Amino acid sequence: MVVTRFAPSPTGYLHIGGLRTALYSYLWAKRNSGKFLFRIEDTDLARNSKEAADAIVEAFKWVGLAHEGEIVYQSERFDLYKSYVKKLLEEGKAYKCYMSREELDALREAQSARKERPHYDGRYRDFTGTPPLGVEPVIRIKAPMSGVISFVDGIKGEVNFNASDMLDDFIIARSDGTPTYNFVVVIDDALMGVNEVIRGDDHLSNTPKQIILYEALGFDIPKFYHVPMILNPEGKKLSKRDGAVDVMEYKREGYLPEALLNFLIRLGWSHGDQEIFSFDEMKALFDPSNINKSASAYNQEKLVWLNAHYIKQATYTRLIEELRFFDLDLSLHSKKELLIDALRDRAKTLVEFASLAKQILEAPMCYDEKAVEKFLTVDGISVLAQYLVALKSEKTLLMASEFETFTKAFLEERGLKLKDLAQAIRIAMVGSSVSPSIFEVLEIIGYDEVVERIEKLISYKRS
């Protein structure tokens, strides 16, 4: 059974690179009827933030990546980690290092002068003397001093590391007793049963250290997939301007979670030329072995296009519920379905949708002066005023919202065309000359409000 996990550190928000990794891990587990687990790596007590941890959990709920079992918090497992430190010490696979900060600084300075790679020189590896006073030791693993550490990455293929080029006896527990990242990751993945690890390729350099720890602890080594980074369109590291923001910011900007997930799965993975994937299709088709070996480029236009697609596909109930987040409650509006149909092909985000809806539902507080100057000429105002008189004489008919039939008859009787009136009505209804179908807008607003808005515009123009 495939068991994957997502294990963020709560030192900041969940960004889209992390969410993509989580999505890949989730889909691969689900495709194989396996388990997707969730762990918060919060052993760095000085940098951890409960708010960040809560925000990560919130983001997971929003996008719908459900995990099996309880969330594992590493900060609750310190006693467990200490027991494994003790085990390695007793087996002679780790040792106490009493090197002071001054000694370490002097060593690195000397190595730098000789143009050597900075590394610990193993001076306490086989120490049997009397420990120096006043120095709390760190615990170091006995790492191989030569040879090659190899593994087959599910994306990159065979990867080899020369031990002498990158390894030393690295620390697994600090002098205050807190364990280090690589040590706890190995213990937790092994004890949680994680056998396939999908993560960003910024973790590639951690892999040889973790392999050493798996072997020292007698655990099975999982299969690794190291996913290339997401870059901006210029091929540089993503910045906030490019989209490297809190995942929940995408919700605040009006994106649907399925649009974001669809966007992320295509950043580095493909299935032919298919662009749009339902969640079920993602689970049925995704295979991490098919992830591109090269970095992917963030494309904001693609995300917007996908979001517009999912807005068009959303049910009335779904959109009504989503729009509440943007202070728009359509649940009691008698023409809510008509309003949604009028806007769903125009709005690319829910923010835009809410803005366009409010523009129709709320009487304009001001008018587009360029539109007023262009369309509300003397003749334009005259036609609009005649239309208002006709509206008031046909209240019974128009209470049934027969605006289109009425308006076409009004124009035909006077030898006019819709263009002679439509823009003036639009300005009266929404404050500008841009809106959905004017007849849909009139029906949504309703007779009494239509009359009131036209009267207000005529008064404004004549004042």
Side-chain angles (χ1 to χ4, degrees), residues 87-103:
K87 178 178 184 292
L88 291 177
L89 286 170
E90 290 173 347
E91 294 176 353
K93 296 176 181 177
Y95 61 93
K96 296 178 180 179
C97 172
Y98 297 91
M99 194 172 190
S100 67
R101 168 56 60 184
E102 291 74 21
E103 287 179 292

Side-chain angles (χ1 to χ4, degrees), residues 60-121:
F60 259 64
K61 289 180 179 177
W62 177 59
V63 298
L65 297 185
H67 56 86
E68 277 76 28
E70 296 294 319
I71 300 173
V72 173
Y73 290 86
Q74 288 185 332
S75 59
E76 299 173 356
R77 294 159 68 87
F78 281 120
D79 288 343
L80 173 68
Y81 306 137
K82 287 178 181 178
S83 71
Y84 279 96
V85 170
K86 182 180 178 183
K87 178 178 184 292
L88 291 177
L89 286 170
E90 290 173 347
E91 294 176 353
K93 296 176 181 177
Y95 61 93
K96 296 178 180 179
C97 172
Y98 297 91
M99 194 172 190
S100 67
R101 168 56 60 184
E102 291 74 21
E103 287 179 292
L104 184 58
D105 290 343
L107 173 65
R108 288 178 174 169
E109 198 173 304
Q111 289 170 338
S112 177
R114 296 193 297 268
K115 301 189 182 324
E116 294 178 0
R117 173 179 67 87
H119 64 283
Y120 171 68
D121 60 4

Side-chain angles (χ1 to χ4, degrees), residues 100 189 285 390 392:
S100 67
D189 280 348
L285 297 172
K392 289 181 175 181

Side-chain angles (χ1 to χ4, degrees), residues 57-337:
V57 174
E58 180 189 15
F60 259 64
K61 289 180 179 177
W62 177 59
V63 298
L65 297 185
H67 56 86
E68 277 76 28
E70 296 294 319
I71 300 173
V72 173
Y73 290 86
Q74 288 185 332
S75 59
E76 299 173 356
R77 294 159 68 87
F78 281 120
D79 288 343
L80 173 68
Y81 306 137
K82 287 178 181 178
S83 71
Y84 279 96
V85 170
K86 182 180 178 183
K87 178 178 184 292
L88 291 177
L89 286 170
E90 290 173 347
E91 294 176 353
K93 296 176 181 177
Y95 61 93
K96 296 178 180 179
C97 172
Y98 297 91
M99 194 172 190
S100 67
R101 168 56 60 184
E102 291 74 21
E103 287 179 292
L104 184 58
D105 290 343
L107 173 65
R108 288 178 174 169
E109 198 173 304
Q111 289 170 338
S112 177
R114 296 193 297 268
K115 301 189 182 324
E116 294 178 0
R117 173 179 67 87
H119 64 283
Y120 171 68
D121 60 4
R123 65 182 63 183
Y124 283 95
R125 183 179 178 113
D126 299 308
F127 180 72
T128 57
T130 302
L133 295 174
V135 178
E136 290 296 328
V138 298
I139 309 300
R140 294 183 181 270
I141 190 75
K142 287 186 176 179
M145 303 172 72
S146 62
V148 176
I149 298 171
S150 300
F151 71 98
V152 177
D153 188 277
I155 298 171
K156 300 178 180 299
E158 184 173 337
V159 181
N160 299 299
F161 293 94
N162 289 317
S164 60
D165 291 341
M166 66 168 303
L167 288 176
D168 57 16
D169 290 351
F170 55 90
I171 296 170
I172 60 172
R174 303 176 185 91
S175 58
D176 62 0
T178 57
T180 58
Y181 168 77
N182 284 308
F183 185 60
V184 295
V185 164
V186 167
I187 293 172
D188 286 332
D189 280 348
L191 297 185
M192 293 170 69
V194 174
N195 52 25
E196 303 212 14
V197 174
I198 301 173
R199 60 189 183 187
D201 63 4
D202 54 326
H203 285 283
L204 186 62
S205 61
N206 289 322
T207 308
K209 293 181 179 181
Q210 292 175 8
I211 288 174
I212 289 168
L213 290 167
Y214 276 108
E215 292 175 340
L217 292 164
F219 295 143
D220 291 335
I221 300 171
K223 184 169 184 178
F224 293 103
Y225 302 84
H226 288 94
V227 183
M229 294 177 66
I230 302 172
L231 303 177
N232 72 8
E234 288 74 43
K236 298 178 180 178
K237 185 177 179 180
L238 273 186
S239 66
K240 287 187 177 182
R241 182 186 61 191
D242 302 311
V245 295
D246 179 359
V247 164
M248 296 307 292
E249 184 65 23
Y250 286 92
K251 178 179 182 178
R252 293 187 283 272
E253 290 178 358
Y255 292 96
L256 291 169
E258 54 266 46
L260 185 58
L261 294 180
N262 195 152
F263 173 69
L264 289 176
I265 196 173
R266 287 289 286 110
L267 282 178
W269 177 86
S270 62
H271 181 72
D273 295 327
Q274 186 172 342
E275 292 287 352
I276 296 172
F277 294 86
S278 69
F279 209 28
D280 286 339
E281 285 178 313
M282 292 184 199
K283 288 187 280 189
L285 297 172
F286 177 74
D287 186 332
S289 300
N290 297 328
I291 294 173
N292 294 338
K293 291 180 172 63
S294 55
S296 304
Y298 185 92
N299 185 333
Q300 182 73 20
E301 291 179 359
K302 177 67 70 65
L303 175 58
V304 170
W305 175 78
L306 283 167
N307 202 56
H309 166 79
Y310 283 104
I311 286 176
K312 291 175 187 176
Q313 300 299 313
T315 64
Y316 296 124
T317 302
R318 170 76 187 285
L319 285 174
I320 290 168
E321 183 60 32
E322 293 287 350
L323 288 166
R324 283 195 176 98
F325 184 78
F326 302 95
D327 300 318
L328 179 64
D329 188 354
L330 298 178
S331 59
L332 299 179
H333 197 283
S334 61
K335 300 293 183 178
K336 53 183 173 289
E337 288 88 0

Side-chain angles (χ1 to χ4, degrees), residues 6 12-20 238 243-247 250 264:
F6 181 58
Y13 52 76
L14 175 64
H15 57 80
I16 59 165
L19 180 58
R20 182 184 65 163
L238 273 186
V245 295
D246 179 359
V247 164
Y250 286 92
L264 289 176

Side-chain angles (χ1 to χ4, degrees), residues 335 386-410 421 425 438-439 441-451 454:
K335 300 293 183 178
Q386 294 175 51
Y387 184 70
L388 177 61
V389 171
L391 280 174
K392 289 181 175 181
S393 69
E394 295 288 352
K395 179 174 182 178
T396 302
L397 170 68
L398 291 170
M399 289 299 284
S401 297
E402 295 293 336
F403 285 102
E404 184 171 3
T405 301
F406 167 80
T407 303
K408 288 181 177 178
F410 169 85
L421 176 64
I425 295 177
I438 192 60
F439 300 120
V441 171
L442 293 173
E443 184 175 346
I444 292 164
I445 292 172
Y447 176 82
D448 288 337
E449 181 72 12
V450 167
V451 169
I454 292 176

